[in-house]
Each structure stands twice: as C-alpha cells, then as structure tokens.
Amino acid sequence: MGALDYLSNFCIVTSSTTRSKRKPMQTVEIKVKMDCDGCERRVKNAVASMKGVKSVEVNRKQSKVSVNGYVEPIKVLKRIKRTGKAAEFWPYIPQHLVHYPYISGVYDKRAPAGHVRNSVQAFPASNAAEDNMVSLFSDDNVNACSIM
C-alpha cells in the first residue's frame, strides 16, 4: 500500500502544478480608429472570439472598444492590431478627476468631450508648494509669521 499511496500523491502533485491560475475579471479599454460598420464589426468579431471574453462594447463615435472578461490587456491589444487597425490603450480620463486639465501635454483636442489625457503632470505633487505656504501662517496668532 505504501507504493500506491506514494504514486497517487505524485500524480496529484503533478496535476495540480500544471493548472494555471484564472485571470481576474477586468475591463480593458482600447482606442481604435473605426470609419465604418465593417471596421466596427471586424474589431468586435476579432475580440469576441477570444477565450475568456464576456462582453464587447464598441463606441465608434469615441473610437473606443471596451472588453469585459477574464483576459490579458496585452493580448486584447495585439488581437485588435492584427485586424490592421491602429490601436492603443485608452489614454483618457474624465476631466473632473484632474486638478490641472489645461496644462501642456494633458489637454487634447481629439479627446472625447469631458475627457483629457492621463498624465502625471495633471495631478499635484505630494510636496506641492501650496500646502507648504499654508503652514507658514497661523490663524491663532496673526502677528506670528514664520517668513520674518
């Protein structure tokens, strides 16, 4: 019995190590230039046939494809590029989330209405000068100014 137990444990270990972990459910948003219904249909069919895809939403007006499912973003991007269309990850975020939406490199004329480019420059730094200036003055003692 010892040899059979040993072999059965060996078989269980090898079968469990070959299993791959399931990818997390996520939404992948990609910018794709689509001109007509044919382009839209070609992109949608290419992505919908991928393993793990639950739903595909195409918005031709915004040139946006949203894919929901257990997929890897890089593979979705490669599959769309294989159709012959220029594609990139969705570079825009809603304008109300950005502190400085009109600085150079953030504002984009081609962005959909209410969106700007996602850039590090649009968000204030953690050691911003505005925060430091507030600490220089005291509301309790107006004559105590740390600048002098």
Side-chain angles (χ1 to χ4, degrees):
M1 286 288 264
L4 291 175
D5 290 335
Y6 176 75
L7 290 175
S8 66
N9 288 339
F10 179 72
C11 293
I12 291 172
V13 171
T14 57
S15 65
S16 65
T17 57
T18 58
R19 290 184 196 161
S20 61
K21 289 188 175 182
R22 189 171 190 179
K23 298 173 190 88
M25 177 77 155
Q26 59 185 336
T27 301
V28 179
E29 295 178 335
I30 297 179
K31 180 182 175 186
V32 183
K33 180 70 176 152
M34 296 172 281
D35 300 322
C36 61
D37 290 334
C39 298
E40 184 178 333
R41 186 175 50 250
R42 187 178 318 137
V43 169
K44 187 173 184 174
N45 289 340
V47 175
S49 64
M50 289 180 66
K51 183 179 178 182
V53 173
K54 297 298 178 191
S55 67
V56 179
E57 296 176 21
V58 178
N59 187 341
R60 187 171 36 170
K61 186 176 180 182
Q62 287 187 340
S63 299
K64 181 179 180 180
V65 177
S66 297
V67 180
N68 294 322
Y70 302 99
V71 293
E72 292 181 26
I74 298 294
K75 289 184 179 181
V76 174
L77 183 65
K78 286 181 181 179
R79 179 67 68 99
I80 291 176
K81 284 185 175 181
R82 211 183 312 160
T83 64
K85 297 288 179 187
E88 62 178 324
F89 289 113
W90 188 250
Y92 305 117
I93 58 173
Q95 185 173 356
H96 69 277
L97 297 178
V98 178
H99 292 280
Y100 311 113
Y102 295 108
I103 62 173
S104 65
V106 175
Y107 182 73
D108 189 359
K109 291 180 187 177
R110 292 172 282 159
H115 288 77
V116 292
R117 280 203 172 271
N118 189 5
S119 176
V120 176
Q121 302 165 346
F123 298 100
S126 61
N127 56 358
E130 298 170 22
D131 296 336
N132 294 337
M133 293 297 284
V134 172
S135 66
L136 294 177
F137 300 98
S138 172
D139 290 337
D140 298 332
N141 185 1
V142 292
N143 295 325
C145 177
S146 62
I147 294 177
M148 293 183 196

